[in-house]
């Protein structure tokens, strides 16, 4: 039950935060900086693949240690995981694409660290209390 609670809460919290961020940032932040690089329409299948893999990573690399070391450990591991994952994506794009914005890279890394830390903390807290 603990792991089910962790997965569900991590998915709801991260998914909710990311939905709010992307609904604002898509038109207001990304489109002005990356315009022609962005797809015209949202692609559901790769998004679902990302979220499934990323939620599993949050639970394994941040919630699992958080259940042993507390919510603070989950937050730290979540922040590190988010920063590393988002940096991998953005720095690879900055390396390989002609016009990738450094501002986007920095904002994405900060967003990944923040959103993942919050999701991991919430999932750990819920798993400790409910699971």
């Amino acid at each position: 039950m603990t792991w089910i609670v962790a997965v569900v809460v991590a998915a709801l919290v991260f998914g909710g935060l990311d939905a709010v961020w992307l609904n604002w940032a898509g038109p207001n932040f990304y489109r002005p900086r990356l315009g022609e690089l962005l797809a015209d329409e949202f692609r559901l299948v790769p998004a679902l693949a990302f979220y499934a893999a990323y939620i599993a990573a949050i639970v394994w690399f941040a919630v699992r240690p958080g259940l042993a070391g507390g919510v603070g450990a989950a937050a730290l591991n979540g922040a590190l995981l988010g920063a590393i994952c988002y940096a991998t994506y953005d720095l690879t794009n900055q390396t390989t694409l002609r016009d990738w914005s450094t501002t986007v890279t920095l904002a994405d890394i900060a967003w990944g660290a923040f959103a993942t830390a919050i999701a991991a903390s919430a999932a750990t807290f819920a798993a400790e209390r409910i699971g």
Side-chain angles (χ1 to χ4, degrees), residues 72-121:
L76 176 62
N77 285 309
L80 292 172
L81 174 67
I84 290 166
C85 288
Y86 279 66
T88 299
Y89 169 78
D90 280 278
L91 293 172
T92 298
N93 285 340
Q94 200 161 10
T95 300
T96 60
L97 299 177
R98 184 172 315 146
D99 294 318
W100 192 263
S101 165
T102 301
T103 302
V104 169
T105 295
L106 296 173
D108 275 357
I109 293 169
W111 173 252
F114 170 78
T116 308
I118 297 299
S121 298

Side-chain angles (χ1 to χ4, degrees), residues 11-35:
L12 290 173
V13 172
F14 187 81
L17 288 171
D18 218 33
V20 170
W21 168 250
L22 291 173
N23 278 316
W24 175 84
N28 298 302
F29 183 72
Y30 293 118
R31 182 116 354 238
R33 288 165 180 81
L34 303 173

Side-chain angles (χ1 to χ4, degrees), residues 5 61 91:
V5 170
F61 293 111
L91 293 172

